[in-house]
Amino acid sequence: MEKQMDRRKFLSYLGTGAAALAAASAGLGTLEGKASAASKTADHLFGFKTNRVSGYFEPIQPSSEDQLILPKGFQYDVVAAFDDVINKDGDKFGQGCDYNAFFPIDGSNNRGLLVTNHEYTNIFLHGPIKDGKMTAEQIKNELYYQGMSVIEVYQDENGAWKMDTKSKYARRINGFSKFELTGPAKGSSAVGNVSTVTGTFANCSGGVTLWNTVMSCEENFSTTASAASLNATHYGWVVEMDPFDGSFLRKHTALGRFNHENTAMGLAKDGRVVVYMGDDKKDACVYKFVSKNKYNPSAGKGNSNLLSEGTLYVANLKKGQWIALTIEAVKKVLESASFKAPSGVKGTKEDLLKMFQTQGDVVTNCHEAALLLGGMPTDRPEDIEISPFDNTVFICHTNNDNHGNIHGHITRIFEKDNDLGATEFDFEIFAAGGRQSGFSSPDNLAFDSNGNLWVVTDISSSSLGKGVYTPFMNNGLFVIPTSGPSKGDALQFASGPVECEMTGPFFTPDERTLFLSIQHPGEETSDLSKPTSLWPHRPGDKIPREAVVAIRGFKLG
Ligand code: FEO
Ligand code: CA
Ligand code: CA
């Protein structure tokens, strides 16, 4: 679609320095100046210490081509694709690549570890599944090809990004890996009295902690758990791993169990750690965890223990309140003489009293506990990011046709007194999908150091190019300023191949490279002899390959 906006103004805006932008920021009112990009808080939270221009580009138009299309002057390298060998042991890159996080080796922007989530599997791994029931071999592949990959990547003498398969760090974490449980459900009857569990899968998006580990989110876990006859209460958690230490694998039950999309970590004014999280389902809630104890920068990975004890809150958007999810509160509601189960909660009062006996039960059955206590059902809350400029919190509400929310929107939360630890907030609809904005169904988010939000879209493959989705064509990557004169305007930076969704945008610290996953190209294929996509069109390939690409061409200012 043709954008109805002053593009020249926007481009000059993109080239403006971050500090000037913060000063010019319109609409932030009282927040302005409290946490500019140059402030200690913003730097501390996000590691953006400079003021680079990462987004100068000529916007592209929507496309239905089976290509990854980028603006003039940009190019991409396929770094790792489905089934590529990643190390000397012959381990393979997983399928359904999603979240990415880059960790420099020895401070380098040209060599580092790339952690990638693998969310799901499809026909290009399994072939057709007969009568909807997987064979033993298919189940083994299901558990192997989901999870996470750690690979080592570098730029060669020509600047091209490649995978170093001789890496001592490269490894897979998947359905066979062992995890230590932490928090209220550890050892509790809610999870079958265990303290360790086997396997992670359905790893969607994630986040990096303040101590440089990765949080990976188990989203739609039930299909795989059921196919493999696994205890479903062992999945649907947030996993923490250390790219440089293969022995460190935890699942933090204090952060709740639901269809986790991602995590966004920041600090309350008093130094407690705050983690925002979305439950990617129609009519599901937004959560935040606030640790009991305070962050200690010198403790490094020891801070991970903060994630085992604290308060899990759910958002009530009507009251502007964060409601604490405690067993005491749940019992009080259930024991009330006038109790009536809210919409979305199944079972009688007696069933529910049996389900909720301990805090372990609350975190394990988080969605039900949230609805019982007044959590607001919303429109598929996916990625959440905290602005490095002003501590406002951006949430992608992807869409929800139950409510006629066809194109979704991005909600922006303003915590009371600009404190991430607050229990009260206000919010605005920062940007809405639709023909007026040029994007539909926002999903993953990433900030650059100019305060621009990079947004990928997730129009479902079966809807792409049809009905009211027609004008958007294939899924895209958009750049949206969060302050200044072009606040909320979306410009298209990339168009993905046929039936793909682009996921996991992540910049190198110098913002000269953007890693991005190309998930499920050709997803609607039902006959392997007629794939609907062949991206990335590798010579000899007869199927598409989900892959992580490295995009370069970013200018420094
Ligand atoms: Fe895995 Fe909610 O996207
Ligand atoms: Ca997602
Ligand atoms: Ca998605």
Side-chain angles (χ1 to χ4, degrees):
M1 269 172 292
E2 209 57 51
K3 303 286 178 330
Q4 298 301 313
M5 64 174 297
D6 182 345
R7 194 168 60 79
R8 203 175 54 177
K9 192 166 76 183
F10 184 83
L11 290 176
S12 67
Y13 164 77
L14 284 170
T16 311
L21 278 184
S25 130
L28 293 178
T30 55
L31 298 175
E32 190 183 314
K34 275 189 184 168
S36 76
S39 81
K40 196 167 177 292
T41 308
D43 283 354
H44 172 64
L45 290 177
F46 292 89
F48 292 153
K49 293 189 174 58
T50 63
N51 180 17
R52 290 173 291 269
V53 178
S54 59
Y56 192 91
F57 66 96
E58 284 279 341
I60 64 164
Q61 295 297 311
S63 168
S64 51
E65 273 187 66
D66 188 33
Q67 299 291 349
L68 173 57
I69 298 171
L70 301 172
K72 205 166 141 245
F74 291 83
Q75 62 187 113
Y76 71 89
D77 308 303
V78 174
V79 178
F82 162 55
D83 219 25
D84 283 352
V85 170
I86 63 166
N87 60 17
K88 284 181 283 192
D89 292 340
D91 288 325
K92 304 284 195 68
F93 199 65
Q95 208 181 23
C97 45
D98 201 301
Y99 180 72
N100 295 295
F102 175 83
F103 292 84
I105 292 178
D106 298 331
S108 170
N109 280 289
N110 313 102
R111 180 177 280 273
L113 297 187
L114 188 69
V115 178
T116 300
N117 277 354
H118 299 292
E119 184 176 21
Y120 87 133
T121 58
N122 65 24
I123 189 169
F124 302 111
L125 169 65
H126 295 303
I129 295 170
K130 290 208 180 81
D131 305 324
K133 199 170 166 12
M134 286 191 188
T135 63
E137 181 69 13
Q138 284 169 328
I139 289 169
K140 202 172 115 201
N141 283 335
E142 176 83 355
L143 295 171
Y144 180 84
Y145 281 92
Q146 294 186 60
M148 306 173 78
S149 289
V150 179
I151 62 172
E152 188 164 335
V153 296
Y154 67 100
Q155 274 185 297
D156 72 9
E157 59 282 8
N158 301 315
W161 282 94
K162 292 184 170 157
M163 174 163 54
D164 184 349
T165 55
K166 295 193 179 68
S167 171
K168 64 178 180 186
Y169 297 108
R171 65 188 186 276
R172 289 296 317 282
I173 296 148
N174 58 22
F176 304 108
S177 308
K178 303 265 187 256
F179 293 84
E180 179 198 342
L181 292 182
T182 76
K186 175 181 180 172
S188 85
S189 57
V191 295
N193 306 302
V194 297
S195 298
T196 57
V197 296
T198 300
T200 189
F201 40 81
N203 304 70
C204 184
S205 189
V208 176
T209 64
L210 295 167
W211 46 95
N212 267 328
T213 58
V214 172
M215 307 267 263
S216 172
C217 293
E218 297 176 342
E219 191 190 9
N220 296 309
F221 56 90
S222 56
T223 319
T224 300
S226 156
S229 303
L230 295 166
N231 182 339
T233 64
H234 296 181
Y235 312 97
W237 302 107
V238 175
V239 165
E240 184 185 6
M241 59 80 73
D242 181 346
F244 293 96
D245 175 3
S247 68
F248 186 84
L249 290 174
R250 294 179 171 183
K251 292 197 186 191
H252 293 296
T253 70
L255 276 53
R257 172 175 166 272
F258 42 89
N259 295 100
H260 275 281
E261 175 73 21
N262 92 321
T263 62
M265 183 178 280
L267 285 179
K269 277 189 176 166
D270 62 8
R272 291 174 298 160
V273 165
V274 182
V275 184
Y276 292 88
M277 299 168 287
D279 180 5
D280 183 5
K281 281 194 298 275
K282 290 177 187 177
D283 305 328
C285 303
V286 175
Y287 298 85
K288 81 170 174 184
F289 168 85
V290 183
S291 65
K292 177 170 180 244
N293 296 316
K294 292 177 184 170
Y295 176 61
N296 172 8
S298 63
K301 209 160 63 181
N303 284 295
S304 170
N305 294 335
L306 295 170
L307 302 179
S308 59
E309 200 177 356
T311 306
L312 185 61
Y313 295 92
V314 65
N316 181 313
L317 272 72
K318 193 168 175 185
K319 292 183 177 164
Q321 282 177 0
W322 291 104
I323 302 165
L325 300 179
T326 64
I327 185 61
E328 293 77 18
V330 171
K331 279 188 171 167
K332 194 172 164 201
V333 165
L334 289 174
E335 284 163 359
S336 146
S338 58
F339 172 75
K340 189 169 167 288
S343 171
V345 176
K346 291 195 193 104
T348 62
K349 177 173 177 159
E350 290 65 38
D351 294 337
L352 292 165
L353 277 167
K354 207 170 150 202
M355 179 192 275
F356 289 108
Q357 296 184 16
T358 65
Q359 189 61 23
D361 296 327
V362 171
V363 294
T364 304
N365 304 295
C366 206
H367 178 64
E368 288 79 7
L371 294 180
L372 286 170
L373 293 182
M376 173 78 66
T378 68
D379 296 346
R380 290 189 56 204
E382 293 215 59
D383 249 28
I384 304 184
E385 290 295 329
I386 306 164
S387 165
F389 284 74
D390 57 26
N391 256 4
T392 58
V393 181
F394 291 78
I395 306 166
C396 278
H397 281 107
T398 296
N399 54 36
N400 187 346
D401 54 8
N402 288 352
H403 303 162
N405 187 355
I406 303 303
H407 296 302
H409 57 267
I410 302 173
T411 304
R412 181 187 208 173
I413 289 202
F414 298 80
E415 295 279 29
K416 189 174 183 194
D417 298 328
N418 201 21
D419 181 1
L420 300 183
T423 53
E424 290 171 48
F425 64 88
D426 198 353
F427 75 95
E428 68 180 18
I429 302 301
F430 164 70
R435 54 182 293 149
Q436 82 293 341
S437 60
F439 71 90
S440 174
S441 310
D443 188 336
N444 292 166
L445 298 171
F447 268 101
D448 68 27
S449 58
N450 283 323
N452 301 313
L453 205 46
W454 293 65
V455 184
V456 292
T457 63
D458 179 14
I459 302 168
S460 73
S461 295
S462 57
S463 301
L464 278 169
K466 293 182 189 150
V468 297
Y469 295 105
T470 305
F472 307 97
M473 302 196 187
N474 292 354
N475 276 309
L477 167 60
F478 296 80
V479 182
I480 310 180
T482 57
S483 61
S486 298
K487 172 187 158 184
D489 291 333
L491 286 189
Q492 188 161 359
F493 180 85
S495 172
V498 169
E499 291 159 13
C500 91
E501 157 188 8
M502 291 181 282
T503 50
F506 197 97
F507 285 101
T508 50
D510 67 0
E511 293 186 2
R512 297 195 78 149
T513 300
L514 174 66
F515 291 102
L516 186 68
S517 292
I518 308 297
Q519 196 187 54
H520 59 69
E523 189 181 33
E524 292 294 293
T525 300
S526 55
D527 177 348
L528 281 174
S529 70
K530 292 183 201 141
T532 54
S533 166
L534 279 174
W535 188 88
H537 303 276
R538 280 186 176 172
D541 254 356
K542 297 198 165 44
I543 58 166
R545 284 189 192 276
E546 308 185 55
V548 177
V549 301
I551 297 172
R552 48 200 171 101
F554 296 94
K555 294 183 180 71
L556 301 186

